[in-house]
Amino acid sequence: MENTEPEVNVASDLPENYNELKNSANRTANWKERLDAVEELGNWKSQKSIDILKHRLDTDPVYQVQEAAYEKLKAWGEDVEKPVRSKYEVVKGIQKILLRVKKSLPRDHSYEEFKEKLKKMRIDVYNTYEGDKGAEFDAWLEGMWKSL
């Protein structure tokens, strides 16, 4: 009988750059860096890696990061539940944050100026929504800007 289970190629130690990966996995202003750290830690099965991936699965505001952590943990045979995309805003008070950014600009500013100012003032918010919304990010942000 042929084994149809996906093969999990996992090292049993921690990588030399474990501390860097741990820091990257917790970097709030860069979802891509967190995703890369999750992917890399997923190659090194240890209790420390499992703990970090479970934390990303349970707390990361970006669904892609949660999903990557879930996939790695599941491949290791961990008892985890698939994350559910949140129906609510991933950053509490997003309307107030965006309004504050808009009010800091001249009255006749463009959407591009608003977008750049948000990136400068609140890179954490910008980055989180960029990761969460994916290809729809610009349309979502422009819609929010128009509605403020």
Side-chain angles (χ1 to χ4, degrees), residues 71-135:
E71 293 297 336
K72 295 295 185 177
L73 291 164
K74 189 80 172 157
W76 288 342
E78 293 295 312
D79 184 22
V80 289
E81 290 185 26
K82 187 165 178 69
V84 177
R85 188 178 286 275
S86 177
K87 298 175 192 169
Y88 306 102
E89 292 300 334
V90 290
V91 175
K92 189 176 180 178
I94 187 64
Q95 293 274 3
K96 287 182 182 179
I97 292 168
L98 296 178
L99 186 58
R100 195 171 302 126
V101 172
K102 189 169 185 169
K103 285 183 173 183
S104 72
L105 291 164
R107 190 174 203 96
D108 60 347
H109 69 273
S110 69
Y111 164 68
E112 287 302 322
E113 290 170 317
F114 171 77
K115 183 177 172 182
E116 286 304 310
K117 184 75 176 223
L118 173 62
K119 197 184 293 189
K120 287 178 184 170
M121 285 178 70
R122 293 297 305 266
I123 187 65
D124 58 328
V125 171
Y126 183 93
N127 191 272
T128 296
Y129 277 97
E130 180 185 44
D132 185 65
K133 300 294 183 189

Side-chain angles (χ1 to χ4, degrees), residues 42-71:
N43 296 322
W44 300 86
K45 186 175 181 180
S46 70
Q47 191 57 52
K48 287 183 177 184
S49 293
I50 290 169
D51 291 344
I52 291 171
L53 295 183
K54 283 185 175 179
H55 184 68
R56 287 297 90 205
L57 172 62
D58 294 338
T59 64
D60 206 281
V62 176
Y63 182 75
Q64 286 178 267
V65 177
Q66 292 175 358
E67 193 172 42
Y70 166 78
E71 293 297 336

